Amino acid sequence: MSKHAPCSPSSSFRWTKCTKSARINAEADDRGSPYAQQGTDAHSLCEHLVKKALGRRSRDPTADLSWYNQEMQECAEGYRDFVMDAIEDIKKSCPNPYIGIEQRLDFSDWVPEGYGTGDCIIVSDGIAHIIDFKYGIGLPVKATENTQLMCYGLGILETFGNLYRIRRIRLSIYQPRRENVDTWEIPTEDLLKWADEVLKPAAELAYAGEGEFKAGDHCIFCRIKDTCRERADYYMDLMKHELEDPAELTDYEIALILPKIEGLVGWAADLKEYVLQQALNGRKYKGFKVVEGRATRKYTDEAKVAEVVENAGYDPYEKKILGITAMSKELGKKKFEELLGGLIYKPKGKPVLVPDDDKRPEYRNITFDDLNDKQEVKPC
């Protein structure tokens, strides 16, 4: 008996590409993490705030939340506002849409044992909107071709397709701690085509434990990513890259390597952490040993240190203005804007290399470009 559903929607990005990983992950031990519990707590708060805004009965969960803090409250309030705006937008064309909070969705016609829970769904004639809250602060999650939400879209069609004429499915990711709000739409016929031609064949292989192993960006949340041979081979091939004459990499070769660099660094870090944990448990790796890392000195009792230094006639404290986030929490948003709104600026961010599909506008080196634009071309 599997410990987890082999083809869960949350892991569909992985098992639709690496079908053999589904069964292995379903049967592997769940190591868990405090981040998962943070996400669970944040979702509970989001559910409460949205239900309250809709006038539905809901018990305030904050007293029971292990990770509740002001940041979580602000993130959940932002999600609530986003949901309510989305509802008002759909009400312009459909005055009485169906609004489901933590809605169970069944898409088992395409995926064996396929079901999941949508954070918020808004269903109307013409369009169905799925909104998914992500509390994680790691990688930004994209709505475009998001297989988890596409599965939820199929669940909506299965449950509500006879009640509403749904022509488009709108997918939204609300990820406040990454300042990431992303929305994408897909026509219903395109979603059904993907389900029949891509999702269903992959799900049947994954559920049966068949198909192939395939490494890539989807490995990040795999339970065996540390020791997966396919993933190791994938990145070892990158390091075997043979240089052609001249001795330096060409721009073409660099462009081929760049997409794999981030994954290569992640794989190396995962493997090192795995080896360290195994070594701490007594396993030996030829040529390596575990030693005590470098440490910095610390006070045993800061209050006592302050007392001793003050008695000696010195000031043990340094004065530092609160950061913007801390100051905003101290004053409250309204008072912060009133007092300090005109004293805040946002400097230009440092250049960062990202893939072409990143939605941010391309960086322009003003000094360099302006010099080129103004350069006078003289005839020979």
Side-chain angles (χ1 to χ4, degrees):
M1 179 68 69
S2 295
K3 298 178 180 179
H4 307 276
C7 300
S8 69
S10 60
S11 61
S12 56
F13 178 59
R14 170 177 47 75
W15 57 254
T16 52
K17 296 174 175 61
C18 180
T19 57
K20 269 198 169 181
S21 69
R23 281 285 167 189
I24 292 176
N25 275 262
E27 294 164 5
D29 291 330
D30 188 352
R31 298 171 188 174
S33 76
Y35 305 112
Q37 185 57 51
Q38 285 183 25
T40 299
D41 284 359
H43 273 81
S44 297
L45 184 57
C46 286
E47 178 185 1
H48 166 68
L49 292 180
V50 173
K51 284 183 175 179
K52 186 178 177 182
L54 291 170
R56 300 179 185 179
R57 292 182 61 184
S58 179
R59 188 181 71 85
D60 188 341
T62 52
D64 302 324
L65 303 181
S66 303
W67 294 91
Y68 175 78
N69 57 20
Q70 185 60 34
E71 180 185 32
M72 184 177 290
Q73 180 72 31
E74 291 174 0
C75 289
E77 288 176 356
Y79 168 78
R80 174 204 59 201
D81 295 343
F82 182 81
V83 168
M84 298 308 292
D85 287 345
I87 292 171
E88 289 305 311
D89 182 60
I90 284 183
K91 280 185 175 180
K92 293 175 184 177
S93 57
C94 179
N96 191 31
Y98 174 84
I99 302 167
I101 308 301
E102 295 298 313
Q103 176 78 41
R104 181 181 170 88
L105 298 166
D106 188 321
F107 45 93
S108 55
D109 281 356
W110 296 273
V111 178
E113 299 180 18
Y115 64 88
T117 304
D119 293 342
C120 175
I121 67 168
I122 313 164
V123 188
S124 69
D125 282 327
I127 193 164
H129 194 171
I130 307 160
I131 304 173
D132 194 51
F133 177 80
K134 301 292 187 187
Y135 195 58
I137 202 170
L139 296 174
V141 181
K142 296 180 180 179
T144 304
E145 297 182 350
N146 185 296
T147 57
Q148 178 183 3
L149 300 195
M150 289 167 77
C151 286
Y152 291 168
L154 294 171
I156 289 176
L157 293 177
E158 183 69 16
T159 304
F160 300 96
N162 292 329
L163 302 174
Y164 296 91
R165 296 186 299 274
I166 304 170
R167 298 185 179 89
R168 291 175 296 146
I169 304 291
R170 181 179 295 162
L171 316 178
S172 287
I173 296 291
Y174 189 85
Q175 189 178 14
R177 296 169 84 200
R178 284 302 305 258
E179 298 183 357
N180 173 41
V181 180
D182 193 29
T183 296
W184 179 70
E185 288 187 14
I186 182 172
T188 298
E189 58 268 27
D190 290 352
L191 178 64
L192 291 171
K193 182 180 180 182
W194 168 79
D196 291 335
E197 297 180 2
V198 178
L199 180 66
K200 187 172 183 177
E204 289 173 349
L205 289 171
Y207 191 79
E210 298 174 354
E212 63 177 355
F213 289 110
K214 185 176 181 180
D217 294 342
H218 50 273
C219 295
I220 185 169
F221 294 118
C222 179
R223 289 191 175 97
I224 64 162
K225 65 179 181 178
D226 303 335
T227 55
C228 174
R229 185 173 298 279
E230 182 69 21
R231 190 180 184 217
D233 289 344
Y234 179 78
Y235 289 114
M236 290 299 289
D237 285 344
L238 175 61
M239 292 186 284
K240 293 178 192 173
H241 186 81
E242 294 183 5
L243 304 183
E244 300 176 359
D245 290 332
E248 296 183 54
L249 289 170
T250 66
D251 287 347
Y252 174 76
E253 290 172 312
I254 291 172
L256 290 177
I257 293 172
L258 274 175
K260 297 182 178 181
I261 290 294
E262 189 171 344
L264 172 60
V265 173
W267 168 67
D270 290 339
L271 187 59
K272 286 180 67 177
E273 179 60 25
Y274 172 81
V275 169
L276 173 60
Q277 295 304 319
Q278 294 300 309
L280 289 172
N281 289 329
R283 183 173 293 185
K284 296 291 185 181
Y285 292 91
K286 186 176 179 180
F288 289 87
K289 63 181 179 180
V290 177
V291 299
E292 185 176 320
R294 184 177 178 181
T296 57
R297 297 178 297 169
K298 294 185 178 182
Y299 295 123
T300 57
D301 186 334
E302 290 190 358
K304 185 65 176 177
V305 168
E307 179 186 347
V308 170
V309 173
E310 284 179 331
N311 290 339
Y314 298 92
D315 183 1
Y317 300 103
E318 62 177 359
K319 292 183 178 180
K320 184 178 179 182
I321 193 168
L322 290 174
I324 289 177
T325 300
M327 188 73 79
S328 180
K329 290 179 179 178
E330 177 72 20
L331 300 177
K333 284 186 176 181
K334 187 175 180 180
K335 198 66 176 178
F336 177 85
E337 288 299 325
E338 178 187 331
L339 296 175
L340 304 176
L343 296 174
I344 304 296
Y345 81 102
K346 189 174 183 179
K348 194 170 183 178
K350 293 181 180 179
V352 178
L353 191 66
V354 298
D356 275 339
D357 61 2
D358 190 285
K359 292 187 176 182
R360 287 170 290 183
E362 188 164 6
Y363 180 87
R364 182 170 181 260
N365 189 328
I366 297 175
T367 304
F368 177 79
D369 287 344
D370 285 352
L371 285 174
N372 281 338
D373 290 342
K374 296 175 182 178
Q375 185 176 357
E376 183 180 355
V377 180
K378 297 180 179 179
C380 298

